[in-house]
Amino acid sequence: MGNSFEELKRAALLESSRKREELHERIQKRAQEQSEAQRVANERLQQRAAWVAREQQRQAQRQALEEKKKKELEAQDAKRRAATRLAEQSAMEKARGRPPPRAKALDHAHAEAVKHRLQVPRASSSVALTRDEKRMKRMAKEMGVKFRPNTKPVRHPTTSAPGKPMPALTTKRPMTPRERFIMEEHKRKEARKATLPASPHTSDSHDSDRSGETSDDENATSHASIRDQIWQMFGRDRQRYLARDIDSDEDDMEAGANAVLQEEQRSSLYGRREDEREERLLDELKRQKMQNSKP
């Protein structure tokens, strides 16, 4: 009897401990499920809040862009009206024979320039710069350094040491292309005069006419060659320049105020259409998210 009671007691204790463990496991599992559900709900709330913030930001940007465009259009209209009013006033003044009034800013700038000119001291004497000094001045200007010319007088030696020849103070300047061209033309004219007949009056009228035509052709050829040589002095080819095709249809392309206004209206219409399409897409995404979020 005693053994059976002890066994029953032990079995009851084991059963109660097993049930207690099962209850504890169910409680932990339910707590985990609740925490997971809470975490999912928090994530959904955060995603929704982020989406709402993005939507608000996009709407604010869209409104700011629309306000900016509206202000730009208003400013353009104001400028156009002001320009029209000013043109009408100037036309009326011109019709009345009155000179147009000068701008106050122009008078102020003129007065400031005169004042500055009076305040700046003028140099007492100016010294002509040599070629090397001019080149050095350009180099200093490019490097951003202040150029100071050498104002000290240059002493030229008047006497030379015994046994040494006196150095030459002047050297022969090389001929420029222009001077060389003039000299060649002068030589060509002299040679042409030398080749002409000594008594031109003895020839008949036919020969004189033929010689006149020949001389005209030679003059035209010489003028063309002179032009070609002038172009060659500047490093360019005249015949190539004359042979190129410079006609282009794009040179006559001009856009008036009406064309610009139409283009602006067209671009604003396209922009509104893009905004409407984007809003529809956002509404569709929002509706899909709301449907997916429903249990």
Side-chain angles (χ1 to χ4, degrees), residues 12-136:
L13 290 174
L14 291 174
E15 184 68 19
S16 63
S17 63
R18 185 179 62 79
K19 289 182 178 181
R20 194 182 302 112
E21 289 177 358
E22 290 179 356
L23 180 62
H24 184 67
E25 289 178 357
R26 285 199 298 270
I27 291 172
Q28 287 183 352
K29 187 175 181 181
R30 185 177 298 176
Q32 290 178 359
E33 290 177 355
Q34 289 179 356
S35 62
E36 185 69 20
Q38 186 68 25
R39 185 182 63 80
V40 172
N42 292 334
E43 288 181 356
R44 288 181 178 178
L45 288 175
Q46 290 178 0
Q47 291 177 0
R48 181 176 178 80
W51 180 79
V52 170
R54 287 196 301 270
E55 288 296 323
Q56 291 178 355
Q57 186 177 3
R58 289 178 182 176
Q59 188 175 2
Q61 291 178 357
R62 195 179 299 112
Q63 290 179 358
L65 185 61
E66 290 178 356
E67 291 179 357
K68 184 178 179 181
K69 289 182 179 179
K70 186 177 180 181
K71 288 181 180 179
E72 289 179 355
L73 291 175
E74 290 177 355
Q76 290 178 2
D77 294 338
K79 287 182 180 179
R80 194 179 295 108
R81 288 195 298 270
T84 306
R85 195 182 306 110
L86 184 61
E88 291 177 355
Q89 290 179 359
S90 61
M92 292 174 63
E93 294 292 337
K94 188 175 181 180
R96 293 174 184 175
R98 299 177 183 177
R102 294 183 62 181
K104 295 182 180 180
L106 185 62
D107 295 337
H108 181 69
H110 181 68
E112 290 293 332
V114 172
K115 189 186 297 183
H116 179 71
R117 194 182 302 115
L118 293 175
Q119 291 178 358
V120 173
R122 294 186 178 181
S124 58
S125 61
S126 60
V127 181
L129 301 177
T130 61
R131 184 181 298 177
D132 296 336
E133 289 178 347
K134 289 180 180 178
R135 185 171 64 253
M136 293 173 64

Side-chain angles (χ1 to χ4, degrees), residues 202-217:
T202 58
S203 61
D204 56 355
S205 61
H206 182 69
D207 294 335
S208 63
D209 294 338
R210 184 180 299 174
S211 63
E213 293 175 358
T214 307
S215 63
D216 292 338
D217 296 338

Side-chain angles (χ1 to χ4, degrees), residues 264-275:
E264 290 180 356
Q265 292 177 355
R266 191 181 300 110
S267 61
S268 62
L269 178 61
Y270 291 159
R272 287 197 298 271
R273 288 179 180 176
E274 290 292 335
D275 294 339

Side-chain angles (χ1 to χ4, degrees), residues 210-232:
R210 184 180 299 174
S211 63
E213 293 175 358
T214 307
S215 63
D216 292 338
D217 296 338
E218 290 177 357
N219 290 333
T221 307
S222 63
H223 285 307
S225 63
I226 289 170
R227 294 193 188 96
D228 294 339
Q229 290 179 6
I230 291 172
W231 279 64
Q232 288 176 4

